[in-house]
Amino acid sequence: MDLSGSGGGAELPNNSQSYQSEESKPLLEDTEGGCGGNNSGKAGGGPCRRAALLGGCGMRYKLLQEGDIQVCVLKHPRTFLSKILASKFLRRWEPHHLSLGDSGLASATPTGYMESSLSYSAIEDLQPLSWDNAPKYCLQLSVPGGTVLLQAANSYLRDQWFHSLQWKKKIYKYRKVLKNPTRWEVVLKEIRALVDMALTSPLQDESIQQAPLHIISTLLSENTNLSAQEHENIIVAIAPLLENNHPPPDLCEFFCKHCRERPRSMVVIEVFTPVVQRILKHNMDFGKCPRLRLFTQEYILALNELNGGMEVVKKFVHSMHGPTGQCPHPRVLPNLVAVCLAAIYSCYEEFINSRDNSPSLKEIRNGCQQQSERKPPLPLRLLRTELESPDPPTAPPPLPPLPSLPLSPPPSIVNSSEILVELERNNNTANKLKGPAGGDSEPNLIDCLLVSPTLSALSIQLPAQADRVLGCFALILKMLSDYDDWRPALASLLQPIPFPKEALAHAKFTKELKYVIQRFAEDPRQEVHSCLLSVRSGKDGWFQLYSPGGMACDDDGELFASMVHILMGSCYKTKKFLLSLAENKLGPCMLLALRGNQTMVEILCLMLEYNIIENKDTQLQIISTLESTQVGLRMYEQLCDRQRELKELQRKGGPTRLTLPSKSTDADLARLLSSGSFGNLENLSLAFTNVTSACAEQLIKLPSLKQLNLWSTQFGDAGLRLLSEHLASLQVLNLCETPVTDAGLLALSSMKSLCSLNMNSTKLSADTYEDLKAKLPNLKEVDVRYTEAW
């Protein structure tokens, strides 16, 4: 918008000239002199007077980006005729849809008064009209050569337009002032004024406090040669804005640099602590802003550099959890775990890059490496070529032919430059890496680690700084596992083993993490210790990693025995679990049983009882192992007695229908079934008794059972899992008013003979119901009343 002409405005009253031009005011005075201040001068009284005109300081407004408004332009009159044409009776108003951009006002229909945009730099002053007989709800924009009037529909819209225009104009000026700084003491004053303006603005919008942070972030990214004191002064100046806002990415880089260079600065404790606490409590996805995670990581490392070291870190973790037994912030644990995983990954990044030529985290963040430049991943083998000759050359030797590589070099320290990628050419080894189906399944984690027999003798040596980082964040994982309310979620997050292979091959890391796995194995809650197993079939879990023969096992199987004990004591007395032990861990089980471990003795007895072992020689070896210890001999004799009772129980004869009296218990059922033969029993009713999942041990001994009524009992998920594996011929099952959930009901999908199923008043979900219908083709009668699926 170009307005020509000069001179005073005839239609504007004299008191409008009392406002000082905003373009000539220093920026530091824009936010000074509040409504309660002592403003005696004309320039100082401007803000307070405008606030009074706008109806007080308590109103809040949303920042406008666009809107409809009436526009009128008054050029400064030069002749008497132009004064008449500019009078209020002859003014022409135009409706426009204006957009408030970063640099000026623009109309969606650039015609008439708004044919060209109006730059914020051209606006000399901005105020509401206040003289007598002025048009209602108008704003006056003083520009060179005239005045622009904006008329809103009501007073609230007028005030909203006023504060939005004022904010846009000031932000535009601050961007210009802070773009090319010369004197940093002046810049610091301007930053403080910018922060004060954002804090005192009546506008309520996320961008009100984010815009100053982005301006300062850009300033710091373009001026990297600041002194440490200037760093601290800027951080302290912007601290109030960080109380309710995440720092932008460039500002995070600035904070990270300060944490690395001055970890003992008081700014780290006083300013960064509330910022990091807010990030951990409210951040939803570090993937959208990885620099937030990096800043949190550097902050924790700075705490570790203080005199208290890990004690300070421990107090910080405790402050994030809170004094109560339940952390009130659900995002704290996932965010802390994400920071720990990223920090641990960074310790082995150099090894990983040497292994598979993958881009580093820094390259990924900066986008330096194109996708086409990356080499495809290859099967791995950690080998050291320097051991091939006693006199290593000064220059790095070329990769020797694969057949000449030694298979069993002596123990050595492997540096990142010594880890080579070898393409596996041996078909036998390649077939070994394939899954049990023999297809193109991904090799197991343990198999990848055991490709070369040299790996068990190798140890990875980290640089001193990486070693400190690893120790710090491994200890944080140990701290997290000590909180009972965090342990279930932590176990779930770590169940997929989200660590690089190099970390799992590093003895120090697996030794540190052993404490966490031990805490999982000691927790009686199924949702915790079940995470020791693999996340899905065909993959390895912590149970395999820390079992004898696994890369992380550094004892004689004590942790393995503890894990088996807690799993067997829960609901894993299943054929599938025992079969996996028999196929993969029979040797360690027999060794521990030979040393008198009661859990392993029980495992071997169950393998014999459920006919898990088919090979006769292996059965005889297990029997010999059991008879070699007193506890094993006693349990084997009990097994033989049970087998004789089982043969008697399953002998043909006895009733075909049986109903237990109400209030009968598990012991009553066991006593009844041990009193005679029940080989012909087809219909058993335990309705309204006090039996629990423990009676499933007796029910699976009934080979002819076809109908089972468990109405209003305490039979739960663990019992259902056992029934689903042993009673394949069951046709009718009544679970009405039992405490079963989806976890147990899903196991029924293997009972293909079921034709009638009553799940009335259970915790059945709609998804599980649909899954059961799809997997049970013979199911004809179903009762799902009073469930979610009803």
Side-chain angles (χ1 to χ4, degrees):
M1 179 180 295
D2 183 20
L3 298 178
S4 59
S6 60
E11 281 298 318
L12 301 181
N14 293 331
N15 63 354
S16 66
Q17 303 299 327
S18 64
Y19 289 100
Q20 183 180 352
S21 172
E22 290 194 9
E23 192 68 31
S24 61
K25 295 180 185 178
L27 291 179
L28 290 174
E29 295 181 7
D30 284 346
T31 56
E32 296 176 357
C35 296
N38 183 16
N39 304 301
S40 56
K42 290 185 179 181
C48 189
R49 182 176 179 181
R50 291 178 190 177
L53 291 173
L54 294 175
C57 302
M59 295 292 291
R60 294 291 176 180
Y61 310 92
K62 182 175 177 60
L63 178 65
L64 280 175
Q65 300 295 341
E66 59 181 345
D68 296 319
I69 200 166
Q70 298 286 327
V71 181
C72 179
V73 176
L74 302 177
K75 298 182 180 179
H76 288 167
R78 296 181 177 180
T79 64
F80 181 75
L81 179 60
S82 62
K83 290 183 179 181
I84 295 176
L85 294 176
S87 65
K88 63 181 180 180
F89 301 105
L90 299 177
R91 288 175 190 160
R92 180 171 57 89
W93 293 88
E94 294 179 354
H96 282 275
H97 185 83
L98 300 185
S99 299
L100 283 73
D102 292 335
S103 58
L105 278 170
S107 174
T109 55
T111 57
Y113 293 143
M114 298 301 297
E115 184 176 0
S116 58
S117 61
L118 176 61
S119 174
Y120 295 133
S121 60
I123 302 177
E124 298 174 350
D125 194 20
L126 169 65
Q127 60 182 337
L129 292 183
S130 58
W131 61 84
D132 296 336
N133 299 324
K136 278 189 174 183
Y137 318 131
C138 275
L139 294 178
Q140 172 186 330
L141 281 63
S142 299
V143 296
T147 300
V148 178
L149 299 180
L150 302 179
Q151 187 174 32
N154 52 57
S155 60
Y156 182 85
L157 283 177
R158 177 202 62 188
D159 298 347
Q160 189 178 17
W161 273 93
F162 170 76
H163 290 295
S164 299
L165 281 169
Q166 192 178 50
W167 169 261
K168 291 282 187 178
K169 182 178 184 305
K170 290 180 179 179
I171 284 294
Y172 175 76
K173 289 193 291 185
Y174 275 113
R175 283 198 180 97
K176 291 179 61 178
V177 170
L178 298 178
K179 188 174 183 180
N180 297 309
T182 54
R183 297 172 55 193
W184 278 98
E185 60 273 11
V186 177
V187 169
L188 186 60
K189 292 181 180 179
E190 299 291 0
I191 290 176
R192 289 170 180 163
L194 175 60
V195 171
D196 291 340
M197 182 191 74
L199 294 176
T200 57
S201 173
L203 295 172
Q204 286 185 329
D205 193 87
E206 183 180 356
S207 62
I208 295 301
Q209 296 190 11
Q210 284 292 334
L213 289 176
H214 282 287
I215 292 175
I216 298 170
S217 176
T218 304
L219 172 69
L220 295 175
S221 64
E222 295 174 354
N223 298 270
T224 57
N225 55 346
L226 300 179
S227 65
Q229 188 59 44
E230 289 171 338
H231 273 203
E232 292 195 1
N233 291 337
I234 293 175
I235 293 172
V236 172
I238 65 176
L241 287 180
L242 298 174
E243 293 179 2
N244 298 310
N245 298 274
H246 289 339
D250 291 336
L251 205 55
C252 286
E253 292 284 354
F254 177 70
F255 291 166
C256 290
K257 181 180 178 182
H258 188 81
C259 287
R260 287 191 294 266
E261 295 178 353
R262 303 196 65 186
R264 295 175 178 267
S265 169
M266 289 306 297
V267 169
V268 173
I269 299 294
E270 296 178 357
V271 179
F272 289 167
T273 298
V275 179
V276 174
Q277 287 177 337
R278 187 181 188 279
I279 291 173
L280 292 176
K281 290 177 181 178
H282 301 288
N283 178 68
M284 297 302 294
D285 185 8
F286 276 130
K288 295 180 179 178
C289 188
R291 287 183 175 86
L292 285 178
R293 182 181 59 201
L294 185 62
F295 167 50
T296 307
Q297 175 183 329
E298 295 292 346
Y299 166 79
I300 293 176
L301 291 175
L303 293 184
N304 192 33
E305 294 294 327
L306 299 178
N307 293 334
M310 286 308 301
E311 285 299 320
V312 181
V313 177
K314 188 174 182 179
K315 290 180 180 178
F316 172 74
V317 173
H318 181 70
S319 69
M320 296 306 305
H321 179 275
T324 61
Q326 190 75 24
C327 178
H329 304 286
R331 290 300 308 168
V332 169
L333 177 67
N335 287 332
L336 276 174
V337 172
V339 171
C340 291
L341 295 181
I344 293 172
Y345 183 92
S346 67
C347 296
Y348 301 93
E349 187 177 6
E350 186 178 358
F351 293 85
I352 297 169
N353 294 338
S354 300
R355 176 189 75 186
D356 57 9
N357 198 32
S358 61
S360 64
L361 291 178
K362 185 176 181 180
E363 290 174 333
I364 292 175
R365 287 196 297 265
N366 297 334
C368 297
Q369 184 167 358
Q370 300 297 327
Q371 184 72 23
S372 59
E373 298 175 0
R374 302 182 189 175
K375 297 182 180 180
L378 301 174
L380 308 176
R381 179 176 290 175
L382 303 181
L383 296 168
R384 183 173 179 175
T385 59
E386 292 183 4
L387 294 172
E388 295 186 47
S389 59
D391 300 324
T394 56
L399 185 66
L402 292 176
S404 64
L405 289 173
L407 293 180
S408 300
S412 58
I413 302 297
V414 178
N415 295 322
S416 60
S417 60
E418 300 165 347
I419 296 183
L420 304 176
V421 178
E422 180 191 5
L423 180 61
E424 184 57 64
R425 301 180 184 272
N426 190 320
N427 291 333
N428 295 331
T429 306
N431 292 333
K432 180 181 177 181
L433 287 178
K434 290 185 178 181
D440 296 331
S441 60
E442 185 180 349
N444 284 340
L445 175 63
I446 306 301
D447 292 335
C448 288
L449 291 173
L450 293 174
V451 164
S452 172
T454 67
L455 191 57
S456 59
L458 298 177
S459 60
I460 296 176
Q461 182 176 353
L462 298 176
Q465 177 60 24
D467 194 66
R468 286 194 296 270
V469 173
L470 178 66
C472 175
F473 287 97
L475 191 56
I476 290 179
L477 289 177
K478 294 163 70 173
M479 295 177 192
L480 299 180
S481 68
D482 287 332
Y483 291 94
D484 290 338
D485 60 315
W486 275 353
R487 202 174 299 131
L490 178 63
S492 178
L493 291 170
L494 297 185
Q495 185 180 13
I497 313 185
F499 300 103
K501 299 179 179 67
E502 287 75 11
L504 300 177
H506 189 195
K508 178 179 179 179
F509 172 72
T510 54
K511 186 176 181 179
E512 292 286 343
L513 201 63
K514 182 179 179 181
Y515 177 85
V516 179
I517 306 304
Q518 184 71 48
R519 296 293 288 169
F520 294 164
E522 295 171 352
D523 198 300
R525 291 171 291 184
Q526 180 190 343
E527 57 182 328
V528 177
H529 59 248
S530 63
C531 293
L532 294 171
L533 301 175
S534 58
V535 68
R536 66 180 183 272
S537 178
K539 297 297 179 182
D540 293 306
W542 296 113
F543 180 77
Q544 288 81 12
L545 197 64
Y546 278 90
S547 61
M551 285 302 302
C553 184
D554 59 352
D555 53 25
D556 291 332
E558 289 83 0
L559 179 56
F560 171 69
S562 177
M563 290 189 290
V564 172
H565 175 75
I566 193 67
L567 292 172
M568 291 298 297
S570 178
C571 56
Y572 287 92
K573 287 185 180 180
T574 61
K575 284 186 176 181
K576 183 179 179 181
F577 181 61
L578 292 172
L579 187 61
S580 66
L581 288 179
E583 291 177 351
N584 304 310
K585 303 298 177 184
L586 182 59
C589 290
M590 293 177 64
L591 178 61
L592 292 172
L594 191 63
R595 294 175 179 176
N597 187 283
Q598 188 169 348
T599 302
M600 295 305 163
V601 170
E602 181 184 358
I603 289 290
L604 295 182
C605 290
L606 286 173
M607 288 180 180
L608 293 176
E609 184 175 1
Y610 292 163
N611 296 320
I612 299 297
I613 305 298
E614 297 180 357
N615 186 280
K616 296 298 181 182
D617 293 335
T618 306
Q619 290 179 359
L620 292 175
Q621 186 177 355
I622 291 176
I623 293 173
S624 300
T625 302
L626 293 173
E627 292 177 340
S628 62
T629 61
Q630 290 184 352
V631 61
L633 180 59
R634 184 179 70 253
M635 296 185 72
Y636 178 64
E637 290 175 350
Q638 294 173 357
L639 170 62
C640 293
D641 294 339
R642 289 198 304 272
Q643 291 292 336
R644 284 191 292 269
E645 294 174 359
L646 179 61
K647 290 181 180 179
E648 178 65 26
L649 174 66
Q650 294 180 345
R651 184 179 300 170
K652 292 299 180 180
T656 59
R657 300 175 62 90
L658 180 63
T659 301
L660 254 67
S662 61
K663 299 186 179 179
S664 297
T665 63
D666 297 328
D668 297 329
L669 176 63
R671 193 177 302 111
L672 177 63
L673 293 180
S674 64
S675 63
S677 300
F678 290 90
N680 292 340
L681 186 61
E682 297 181 356
N683 189 323
L684 176 61
S685 176
L686 303 176
F688 305 104
T689 63
N690 295 331
V691 298
T692 65
S693 294
C695 75
E697 296 280 356
Q698 307 298 326
L699 298 178
I700 62 176
K701 300 175 182 179
L702 303 173
S704 302
L705 192 62
K706 296 181 180 179
Q707 301 181 28
L708 179 60
N709 188 351
L710 295 168
W711 188 359
S712 191
T713 64
Q714 295 302 311
F715 198 87
D717 295 335
L720 282 184
R721 292 192 184 96
L722 203 55
L723 294 184
S724 65
E725 288 198 339
H726 295 270
L727 297 181
S729 60
L730 195 65
Q731 298 176 2
V732 179
L733 180 59
N734 189 344
L735 298 172
C736 179
E737 297 182 9
T738 57
V740 295
T741 65
D742 288 344
L745 292 170
L746 283 172
L748 299 179
S749 59
S750 62
M751 305 177 72
K752 304 300 182 182
S753 298
L754 274 179
C755 57
S756 177
L757 182 59
N758 189 339
M759 296 176 286
N760 187 324
S761 303
T762 62
K763 296 180 180 179
L764 171 72
S765 68
D767 292 339
T768 300
Y769 176 51
E770 295 297 329
D771 187 70
L772 288 175
K773 287 196 302 182
K775 294 181 179 180
L776 297 176
N778 297 322
L779 195 60
K780 299 177 181 178
E781 298 180 4
V782 184
D783 188 351
V784 294
R785 290 175 296 172
Y786 307 108
T787 66
E788 183 184 317
W790 190 25

Coordinates of all heavy atoms in Angstrom, one line a residue, residues 17-26 50 123-125 142 169 173:
Q17 N -2.0 12.9 18.2 CA -0.6 13.3 18.0 C 0.2 13.1 19.2 O 1.4 13.2 19.2 CB -0.5 14.7 17.5 CG -1.3 15.0 16.2 CD -0.8 14.1 15.1 OE1 0.3 13.8 14.9 NE2 -1.8 13.7 14.2
S18 N -0.5 12.9 20.4 CA 0.3 12.7 21.6 C 1.0 11.4 21.7 O 1.9 11.2 22.5 CB -0.7 12.9 22.8 OG -1.6 11.8 22.8
Y19 N 0.5 10.4 20.9 CA 1.2 9.1 20.9 C 2.5 9.1 20.2 O 2.5 9.6 19.0 CB 0.3 8.0 20.3 CG -0.9 7.7 21.2 CD1 -2.1 8.2 20.9 CD2 -0.8 6.8 22.3 CE1 -3.2 7.9 21.7 CE2 -1.8 6.5 23.0 CZ -3.1 7.1 22.7 OH -4.2 6.8 23.5
Q20 N 3.6 8.7 20.8 CA 4.9 8.7 20.2 C 4.9 7.6 19.1 O 4.3 6.5 19.3 CB 6.0 8.4 21.2 CG 7.4 8.4 20.6 CD 8.4 8.2 21.7 OE1 8.1 8.1 22.8 NE2 9.6 8.0 21.3
S21 N 5.5 7.8 18.0 CA 5.6 6.8 17.0 C 6.3 5.6 17.5 O 7.4 5.7 18.0 CB 6.3 7.4 15.7 OG 6.6 6.4 14.8
E22 N 5.7 4.4 17.3 CA 6.3 3.1 17.8 C 7.6 2.8 17.1 O 8.4 2.2 17.6 CB 5.3 2.0 17.6 CG 4.1 2.1 18.6 CD 3.3 0.8 18.6 OE1 3.8 -0.2 18.1 OE2 2.3 0.8 19.2
E23 N 7.7 3.3 15.8 CA 8.9 3.0 15.1 C 10.1 3.7 15.7 O 11.2 3.2 15.6 CB 8.8 3.4 13.6 CG 9.8 2.9 12.7 CD 9.8 1.4 12.6 OE1 8.6 0.8 12.6 OE2 10.8 0.8 12.4
S24 N 9.9 4.8 16.4 CA 11.0 5.5 17.0 C 11.3 5.1 18.4 O 12.2 5.5 19.0 CB 10.7 7.1 17.0 OG 9.5 7.3 17.8
K25 N 10.4 4.3 19.0 CA 10.6 3.8 20.4 C 11.6 2.7 20.4 O 11.7 1.9 19.5 CB 9.3 3.3 21.0 CG 8.2 4.4 21.2 CD 7.0 3.7 21.8 CE 5.9 4.7 21.9 NZ 4.7 4.0 22.4
P26 N 12.5 2.7 21.5 CA 13.4 1.5 21.6 C 12.5 0.3 22.0 O 11.5 0.4 22.7 CB 14.3 1.9 22.8 CG 13.6 2.9 23.5 CD 12.7 3.7 22.5
R50 N -3.8 2.9 26.6 CA -4.4 2.0 25.6 C -5.1 0.8 26.4 O -6.1 0.4 26.0 CB -3.4 1.5 24.7 CG -2.8 2.6 23.7 CD -1.8 2.0 22.8 NE -1.1 3.1 22.1 CZ -0.1 2.9 21.3 NH1 0.4 1.7 21.1 NH2 0.4 3.9 20.7
I123 N 4.1 0.6 9.3 CA 3.1 1.1 10.3 C 3.9 1.8 11.4 O 4.7 1.2 12.2 CB 2.4 -0.1 10.9 CG1 1.6 -0.9 9.8 CG2 1.4 0.3 12.0 CD1 0.9 -2.2 10.3
E124 N 3.7 3.1 11.5 CA 4.4 3.9 12.5 C 3.7 3.9 13.9 O 4.4 3.9 14.9 CB 4.4 5.4 12.0 CG 5.1 5.6 10.7 CD 5.0 7.0 10.2 OE1 4.2 7.8 10.8 OE2 5.7 7.4 9.2
D125 N 2.4 3.7 13.9 CA 1.8 3.6 15.2 C 0.5 2.8 15.0 O -0.1 2.8 13.9 CB 1.5 5.0 15.7 CG 1.1 5.0 17.2 OD1 1.4 4.0 17.8 OD2 0.4 6.0 17.7
S142 N -1.2 4.3 11.7 CA -0.5 5.5 11.1 C 0.6 5.0 10.2 O 1.5 4.2 10.6 CB 0.1 6.3 12.2 OG -1.0 6.8 13.1
K169 N 3.8 -7.1 14.6 CA 4.7 -5.9 14.3 C 5.9 -6.0 15.2 O 7.0 -5.8 14.7 CB 3.9 -4.6 14.6 CG 4.7 -3.4 14.2 CD 3.9 -2.1 14.5 CE 4.6 -0.9 14.1 NZ 5.9 -0.7 14.7
K173 N 9.9 -6.7 14.1 CA 11.0 -5.9 14.4 C 12.1 -6.6 15.1 O 13.3 -6.4 14.9 CB 10.5 -4.7 15.2 CG 9.7 -3.7 14.4 CD 9.5 -2.4 15.2 CE 8.6 -2.5 16.4 NZ 8.3 -1.2 17.0

